[in-house]
Amino acid sequence: MTHIEKRLRQVLHRAQRIVALTGAGISAESGVPTFRDAQTGYWEQFDPGELATPEAFRRNPRRVWAWYAQRRRLAEQAQPNAGHRALVDWERQLGGLRVVTQNVDGLHQRAGSQQVTELHGNIHRDRVFEGAVDGASDAPELPRCPCSGGLLRPDVVWFGEALPEGTVEAAVAAVREADLVLSVGTSSLVQPAASLPLEALERDIPVLEVNREPTPLTPVADWSLRGSAGEILPALVGAATEAV
Ligand code: NAD
Ligand code: APR
């Protein structure tokens, strides 16, 4: 066993307060497309400026709702995979594992994770759209709030929007208290999520990345394991919980 593997085993055995930062890649093996994977990523096929901004909704709420309704159906049909379940097993054996996810699909909660912070909202929830919408009155089929009659929108964070109140603070606090931070299945491109592992590195808290591809975090992470979350996470949990 190399020195690096020995060090990783030690860190895994000792970790008591783990924060798992997850992105679309952890749901890829559940059949939920990512955003930036070559060919299959949403942003390789669609322009987020037309589907995932408040302006896009204002201009054409029907088109935005059609896309999110299709994504919602996909998320409802998807099943948590071995990567989601490994984090649940680790949480149950350890007690101190928090998931901080950019994902909106709700699969961590469906898998059984109890401590989940959703940075970008949840596609299974709606909320009233604040502001005027072009031609909303001639779109009677769009969902409206039964009390206010206001046009509903998916309760997810769009480009240019602030993240839900308190989520970033909660995520930063969790990372600062952690003794191990995992970054799983995220391209580490989008702020403020991409800065969370750097908060840990500034405090000499070990950071372990799991990704099929290298990302901007790869060169600075303590370990970057190349491969699928559905394979690597169960192996990590096995190594963390094996009898010493
Ligand atoms: P941001 O400006 O930090 O987004 C930066 C990244 O988003 C870019 O690196 C790029 O990868 C991508 N991006 C933005 N505009 C794009 C475009 N026109 N084409 C391709 N890629 C584009 O994000 P923000 O504007 O500050 O949004 C705030 C938060 O909302 C971000 O954290 C973002 O992840 C999130 N968001 C959520 C959804 C969703 O469907 N849940 C969609 C978009 C953004
Ligand atoms: N296992 C591990 N990693 C994977 C897997 C897998 N099975 N499949 C894909 N990946 C990796 C890809 O290599 C990529 O680095 O997951 C990452 C997915 O990156 P993105 O598609 O950019 O998704 P994410 O990082 O979650 O995007 C961040 O951008 O558009 C916004 O709000 C949206 O939350 C999203 C945010």
Side-chain angles (χ1 to χ4, degrees):
M1 184 187 302
T2 67
H3 168 67
I4 292 178
E5 284 163 18
K6 200 178 291 181
R7 173 82 182 116
L8 174 54
R9 278 187 187 282
Q10 261 179 2
V11 165
L12 291 173
H13 279 152
R14 290 179 187 160
Q16 295 297 309
R17 295 180 312 284
I18 300 173
V19 172
L21 306 170
T22 68
I26 199 170
S27 295
E29 290 155 272
S30 297
V32 180
T34 65
F35 291 91
R36 297 174 185 84
D37 272 337
Q39 280 91 43
T40 58
Y42 279 127
W43 302 151
E44 297 298 319
Q45 303 166 60
F46 306 108
D47 171 3
E50 293 302 313
L51 291 171
T53 66
E55 295 70 34
F57 190 81
R58 211 168 278 122
R59 275 196 309 273
N60 191 337
R62 275 202 185 93
R63 172 167 50 187
V64 171
W65 258 119
W67 188 59
Y68 275 93
Q70 188 262 337
R71 284 185 63 196
R72 181 176 283 176
R73 280 192 298 277
L74 193 58
E76 284 162 351
Q77 288 152 15
Q79 294 304 317
N81 63 58
H84 298 105
R85 290 195 298 273
L87 294 180
V88 175
D89 294 346
W90 212 344
E91 179 183 7
R92 285 179 181 154
Q93 298 190 46
L94 202 61
L97 186 145
R98 167 168 288 280
V99 173
V100 174
T101 188
Q102 297 173 81
N103 297 342
V104 298
D105 55 34
L107 286 176
H108 283 298
Q109 296 91 322
R110 287 250 310 276
S113 287
Q114 298 299 306
Q115 302 180 80
V116 181
T117 299
E118 293 177 314
L119 295 176
H120 296 164
N122 186 304
I123 202 166
H124 303 293
R125 275 196 316 262
D126 297 338
R127 61 181 160 94
V128 174
F129 181 76
E130 306 297 335
V133 174
D134 302 351
S137 50
D138 60 20
E141 81 285 4
L142 293 180
R144 289 179 176 275
C145 172
C147 24
S148 69
L151 202 51
L152 293 177
R153 54 161 288 177
D155 190 12
V156 299
V157 178
W158 282 332
F159 290 111
E161 291 186 314
L163 275 62
E165 184 74 26
T167 48
V168 179
E169 295 77 1
V172 168
V175 164
R176 288 177 174 169
E177 288 302 308
D179 54 14
L180 173 61
V181 170
L182 311 175
S183 175
V184 183
T186 175
S187 55
S188 298
L189 282 176
V190 177
Q191 298 301 345
S195 298
L196 290 171
L198 309 184
E199 285 282 334
L201 291 169
E202 280 167 17
R203 288 165 175 75
D204 290 333
I205 296 168
V207 172
L208 186 159
E209 180 182 50
V210 175
N211 200 307
R212 279 178 172 162
E213 308 285 338
T215 76
L217 180 65
T218 302
V220 294
D222 294 277
W223 299 275
S224 186
L225 307 182
R226 197 66 60 246
S228 294
E231 286 160 30
I232 292 180
L233 286 179
L236 285 178
V237 178
T241 53
E242 73 189 353
V244 282

